[in-house]
Amino acid sequence: MSDAKTLYTAKVHVTGGREGSATSDDGRLALKLATPGSPGQGTNPEQLFAAGWSACFEGAMAIAAKAKGVSLPADLAIDAEVELRHGEDGFALAARLNVHVPGVERETARQLIEAAHRTCPYSKAIKGNIDAVVALA
């Protein structure tokens, strides 16, 4: 990866772990963190990962669609599920994207999803590291 050009670097300062806060250096992100399932305000790392992966994946789908000459529908949507698990090996994540591509032929939508899963940086990062499924809903 030494020849890779950095396009963007996210810089976020976190204090207090799962019960703390996260703030980006540009001020666009400022949020309270909370343990999953806890009462009160705040989001958790699993929700943030679900949002990030979904947004990135949709962008990868747009690139794949453009390459195939396909127009994506305005109401394309992704429902993400990120599970925090605990077992004999300790804590782990599992994730699923349910991709809704209304108005696009199922086989074409499946091909776009497969191409996006091969190229999305988040999909690449988790490949072989966590249980992950991407499905056409």
Side-chain angles (χ1 to χ4, degrees):
M1 255 204 157
S2 61
D3 65 337
K5 178 183 173 188
T6 299
L7 301 176
Y8 173 74
T9 301
K11 296 180 183 178
V12 176
H13 181 76
V14 174
T15 59
R18 287 184 173 270
E19 295 296 328
S21 63
T23 309
S24 63
D25 67 333
D26 62 6
R28 291 181 172 199
L29 176 74
L31 50 85
K32 181 173 176 8
L33 300 171
T35 302
S38 65
Q41 299 296 311
T43 189
N44 60 65
E46 292 75 22
Q47 290 171 327
L48 294 170
F49 183 78
W53 186 25
S54 298
C56 185
F57 196 89
E58 190 167 328
M61 283 189 68
I63 292 168
K66 184 176 181 181
K68 286 185 70 78
V70 174
S71 294
L72 290 177
D75 55 351
L76 182 146
I78 299 174
D79 294 316
E81 302 169 4
V82 175
E83 298 175 355
L84 177 61
R85 295 178 172 178
H86 188 263
E88 290 181 14
D89 294 336
F91 291 98
L93 295 176
R96 179 179 182 90
L97 296 184
N98 296 303
V99 185
H100 305 268
V101 194
V104 174
E105 195 271 327
R106 284 193 67 80
E107 179 59 22
T108 300
R110 188 190 60 72
Q111 290 172 5
L112 295 175
I113 289 168
E114 287 176 1
H117 197 38
R118 285 191 306 271
T119 60
C120 170
Y122 280 73
S123 292
K124 288 179 179 182
I126 64 173
K127 185 178 181 179
N129 294 313
I130 69 171
D131 291 336
V133 175
V134 177
L136 176 60

